[in-house]
Structures are given as C-alpha cells and as structure tokens.
Amino acid sequence: MTDYSIFRLFFAVITFIVGLAFEIMIDIADIPGDRRFGVRTLAVCRSGSSAAKLSAALYAGIMLLDPLPFFVNMDPRLFRDWLFLALILVPVLSYLFLCRVLLRDQSEKKSLT
C-alpha cells in the first residue's frame, strides 16, 4: 500500500464512523415509528439514552481522529499545516456541541438538530 492509499483508507474509516454515529442519532428520533412498524434499532432494543451514549462515543473518537493528519505525517500536504488545523477544528467543535446536546436530551426535537 502506498502512503496515499493509507491516507484514503484513514478518511474512509472516518467517514464510515461519522455516518454510523449520525444514523444512530437519527434513530433516536425515530423510536415511536420504529416501534410501531417493528423495526429493530439500537434505540428501540436498548434505549434512546444508550443510543445517544454510543453516538457520542463515536463522535468523540472522530474528534480525536480528525486532526490526526496535522500531528502524524500521513500526507505531507496536511502535516503541520496550520490552515488545515484551523479548518478541521470547525467540525470538531460542532461534534463537541452535538455530543453535549445529545447526552443532555434525547427527545425527538433535540436529536434531529
């Protein structure tokens, strides 16, 4: 594997984790409809609170992984690039805000924001 294929794999894994965390979060809002139609999701089988905790844990992992190319030389274009770090902190801060809201209130209105 070349260095760039590892870099692409790294971002593919990040994308998968973000998608999974988002889907778990959206399932919290769908609990009433999922129960009515017999759809078995984590939020239905366990609870909205457990789904929120898992989603927040996945987002926390992303908060650690997102700025990693700045610190580890995966791609020389991003390694110690201060513009990249400044730009990547925007989604990191949004994930932090999202986790805080998600862990406080798992209501349908809050889980869709």
Side-chain angles (χ1 to χ4, degrees):
M1 284 184 131
T2 64
D3 289 339
Y4 290 116
S5 61
I6 291 171
F7 183 66
R8 288 182 188 133
L9 179 63
F10 174 74
F11 278 104
V13 168
I14 284 178
T15 304
F16 175 78
I17 294 171
V18 168
L20 180 62
F22 180 76
E23 286 299 324
I24 292 170
M25 179 184 70
I26 293 300
D27 283 342
I28 296 169
D30 291 339
I31 290 175
D34 288 347
R35 282 192 179 132
R36 186 174 43 242
F37 292 108
V39 178
R40 297 179 47 86
T41 63
L42 177 69
V44 170
C45 293
R46 298 289 180 178
S47 68
S49 176
S50 338
K53 288 175 186 172
L54 178 58
S55 183
L58 291 170
Y59 280 128
I62 292 302
M63 286 187 274
L64 296 174
L65 291 175
D66 267 354
L68 198 60
F70 175 82
F71 300 105
V72 177
N73 192 4
M74 295 178 181
D75 184 343
R77 297 170 294 185
L78 301 179
F79 183 61
R80 295 187 180 163
D81 181 355
W82 291 99
L83 179 60
F84 167 74
L85 184 63
L87 292 174
I88 204 67
L89 287 179
V90 173
V92 166
L93 292 174
S94 71
Y95 294 144
L96 181 64
F97 174 75
L98 182 66
C99 288
R100 191 173 135 220
V101 169
L102 195 56
L103 291 174
R104 281 190 179 168
D105 184 8
Q106 292 86 35
S107 68
E108 180 178 344
K109 182 179 178 183
K110 290 291 183 177
S111 61
L112 288 176
T113 57

